[in-house]
């Protein structure tokens, strides 16, 4: 099969996976709690190597004390570290949040930028965080958010061979309609949590199993096996 035909077949499979994910998780949305673009930016920085559930337990007190970019930029670093400690890597996260909010005030007139290249200038912001902020704060789908769930499931589904997040994103951008880039990620994250667990994927309960080259499903019995009595082998034998 030519590379072009192989890629076309992969794209068709990706679109079918997308259709099924929409049916499975019609109400999937960003699970981080926020009210403003800067709060979403901060929550997404905190979500690195941490669950959204944990972040949502931390941000009410954080945003009550420091509700906006000027307040966060002027925050005492030790107090900021204490407030975000339970999200892990708290010293680096606190430093990045403070630095990003200072840059927002000094360079971007107090507004979280709406362009990828400008967001990437902020401390603690890589493409994953920038994609989340652009999509959910501003409705701009400029890329595909790739976290550990998205990277792992995209490989299992045969949509990429890469482990590097930027290369995974590049493959997914080529396969999926732009309007679905961000919701693809959210739905795939839901599916990873509910069905395609890293340690023990529930392939027999997976609505994507027939499209997944890694699905671990029972092999169907062939007529010759039934005739030979293989169906009863090892079951109730003396």
């Amino acid at each position: 099969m030519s590379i072009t035909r192989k890629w076309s077949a992969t794209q068709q499979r990706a679109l079918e996976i997308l259709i099924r994910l929409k049916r499975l998780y019609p109400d999937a949305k960003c699970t981080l709690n926020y009210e403003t673009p800067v709060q979403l930016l901060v929550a997404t920085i905190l979500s690195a190597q941490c669950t959204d559930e944990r972040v949502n337990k931390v941000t009410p007190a954080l945003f009550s004390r420091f509700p906006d970019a000027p307040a966060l930029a002027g925050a005492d670093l030790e107090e900021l570290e204490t407030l975000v400690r339970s999200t892990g890597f708290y010293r680096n996260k606190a430093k990045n949040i403070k630095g990003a909010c200072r840059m927002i005030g000094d360079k971007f007139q107090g507004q979280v930028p709406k362009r990828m290249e400008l967001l990437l200038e902020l401390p603690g912001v890589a493409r994953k965080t920038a994609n989340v902020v652009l999509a959910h704060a501003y409705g701009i789908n400029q890329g595909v958010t790739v976290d550990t769930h998205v990277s792992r499931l995209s490989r299992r589904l045969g949509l990429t061979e890469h482990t590097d997040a930027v290369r995974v994103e590049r493959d997914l951008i080529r396969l999926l309609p732009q309007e679905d880039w961000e919701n693809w990620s959210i739905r795939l994250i839901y599916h990873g949590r509910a069905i395609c667990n890293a340690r023990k994927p529930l392939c027999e309960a997976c609505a994507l199993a027939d499209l997944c080259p890694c699905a671990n499903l029972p092999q169907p019995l062939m007529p010759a096996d039934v005739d030979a009595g293989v169906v009863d082998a090892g079951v109730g034998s003396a």
Side-chain angles (χ1 to χ4, degrees), residues 33 64 99 215 235:
N33 295 333
S64 175
V235 181

Side-chain angles (χ1 to χ4, degrees), residues 134-152:
L134 287 171
H136 298 287
Y138 298 127
I140 300 170
N141 283 351
Q142 195 164 339
V144 178
T145 299
V146 177
D147 72 350
T148 53
H149 282 297
V150 174
S151 180
R152 177 173 59 81

Side-chain angles (χ1 to χ4, degrees), residues 30-48 50-52 54-56 58-59 62-63 72 87 93 97 128-129 132-133:
C30 178
T31 54
L32 292 170
N33 295 333
Y34 64 94
E35 294 182 358
T36 65
V38 73
Q39 289 186 0
L40 176 58
L41 173 70
V42 170
T44 309
I45 290 174
L46 292 175
S47 71
C50 180
T51 65
D52 289 0
R54 167 53 55 186
V55 172
N56 288 337
V58 166
T59 49
L62 175 65
F63 294 151
L72 286 160
T87 66
K93 289 179 180 180
I97 289 168
K128 172 193 166 185
T129 298
V132 170
V133 172

